[in-house]
Amino acid sequence: MASKPVNRPLSPHLSIWKWGPHMTVSIAHRVTGSGMATVGSILLVAWLASAAAGEEAYGVFRGLFTTADGGLNIVGYVLGIGLTLSFFQHMASGVRHLVLDTGAGYELKRNKMGAQATFAFSILATLAFWAFLTVGK
Amino acid sequence: MRTSIGRVRGLGSAKEGAHHWWTHRLTAGSNLLLMLWFIASIAMLPGYDYATIQSWLSSPWAAVPMALLIVSVFMHFKLGLQVVIEDYSHAESRVVLLVLLNLFVVAAGATAIFSILKLAFAAGAVS
């Protein structure tokens, strides 16, 4: 299982391609997924465990992300917006993956449009979610 | 989720990649439904204080999908992080990271489900 590192020449798989939106959306899928799997899952479990532990523990958890008047502090905004943007981006590119799995959407123009659409969706959905939370309620 | 010709030949590097791939897609579908429910529920909650969260999760209509969400999301990110580790980590560190990943997923997932059940069942016992 533990393979010995050998210094064989590598084929130039990254440097020879012109960078396009399909490559950005691919690496964004990994980054957002890995981010939610680590930071997001720890926060989710801490939120549930602190609520299960009782009011005092929940208050400590909540205090990490809120100011004295109950609004979000800078940590709360960075994590909250970061995780919702990650979620909507991962969701959009995940749905795009499911479409690509069927063999559809590989024509150059449609592939590029689909990749760009995931970013448009995630930014708009994040804006809509936070507009609803801060203004709409 | 293997083709019959693939099963007959019994080839492939680890002989189980198709199952990993298919489970990743199935949990992607269930994640889509459960996470949209979760995001919508969080947005609709009247507040985020202890009393609101406790009473929300004491309802089976919240506790059951929440527990399902933990199972689905944790299975999905276990499969995803496994691929990331296999792609970027090599030799001994790869084995260590994969073992740590499995321990983390089971420990964190069990803690989350225990917490949901405690909130759901404690509410019924008190009142």
Side-chain angles (χ1 to χ4, degrees):
Chain A
M1 202 185 318
S3 49
K4 227 167 139 189
V6 187
N7 283 326
R8 294 199 188 94
L10 292 169
S11 67
H13 62 292
L14 278 179
S15 52
I16 60 166
W17 303 104
K18 183 181 151 200
W19 195 268
H22 60 294
M23 294 154 88
T24 312
V25 81
S26 172
I27 194 66
H29 194 73
R30 285 212 154 175
V31 171
T32 53
S34 304
M36 288 190 292
T38 50
V39 179
S41 70
I42 289 170
L43 285 175
L44 178 63
V45 173
W47 177 62
L48 289 168
S50 67
E55 189 159 9
E56 199 181 322
Y58 186 81
V60 172
F61 177 82
R62 201 171 174 227
L64 297 173
F65 312 105
T66 50
T67 54
D69 63 353
L72 284 176
N73 62 21
I74 183 74
V75 182
Y77 272 116
V78 169
L79 287 172
I81 294 173
L83 284 171
T84 42
L85 184 61
S86 295
F87 166 70
F88 287 123
Q89 177 59 37
H90 197 83
M91 186 183 95
S93 54
V95 170
R96 179 170 174 266
H97 261 292
L98 295 177
V99 173
L100 294 175
D101 285 343
T102 70
Y106 282 94
E107 303 82 6
L108 287 181
K109 207 175 166 190
R110 279 198 53 194
N111 194 279
K112 187 177 179 181
M113 274 178 63
Q116 288 165 335
T118 67
F119 291 114
F121 170 81
S122 63
I123 292 167
L124 288 175
T126 308
L127 284 173
F129 180 81
W130 285 91
F132 180 78
L133 278 193
T134 51
V135 188
K137 281 172 80 174
Chain B
M1 191 57 181
R2 294 192 68 183
T3 58
S4 42
I5 187 75
R7 199 175 294 120
V8 167
R9 284 179 176 161
L11 298 176
S13 54
K15 300 184 176 60
E16 54 174 30
H19 181 248
H20 177 118
W21 186 90
W22 180 236
T23 312
H24 215 166
R25 266 66 188 171
L26 284 180
T27 50
S30 48
N31 280 358
L32 185 63
L33 297 174
L34 290 162
M35 282 302 292
L36 285 175
W37 162 81
F38 179 67
I39 289 275
S41 303
I42 290 294
M44 300 307 285
L45 279 177
Y48 304 100
D49 53 301
Y50 175 75
T52 311
I53 299 299
Q54 188 266 335
S55 82
W56 177 59
L57 279 175
S58 65
S59 157
W61 295 101
V64 171
M66 199 66 211
L68 291 173
L69 182 147
I70 295 294
V71 173
S72 176
V73 166
F74 276 54
M75 275 177 76
H76 186 82
F77 89 62
K78 185 262 168 191
L79 296 170
L81 278 188
Q82 182 188 331
V83 174
V84 172
I85 291 169
E86 287 167 351
D87 280 358
Y88 303 129
S89 180
H90 306 287
E92 289 83 0
S93 68
R94 171 190 284 192
V95 180
V96 173
L97 285 171
L98 286 174
V99 170
L100 287 177
L101 169 65
N102 281 283
L103 290 177
F104 173 73
V105 168
V106 172
T111 307
I113 288 172
F114 172 81
S115 302
I116 295 164
L117 295 180
K118 190 185 172 207
L119 283 162
F121 293 147
V126 173
S127 55

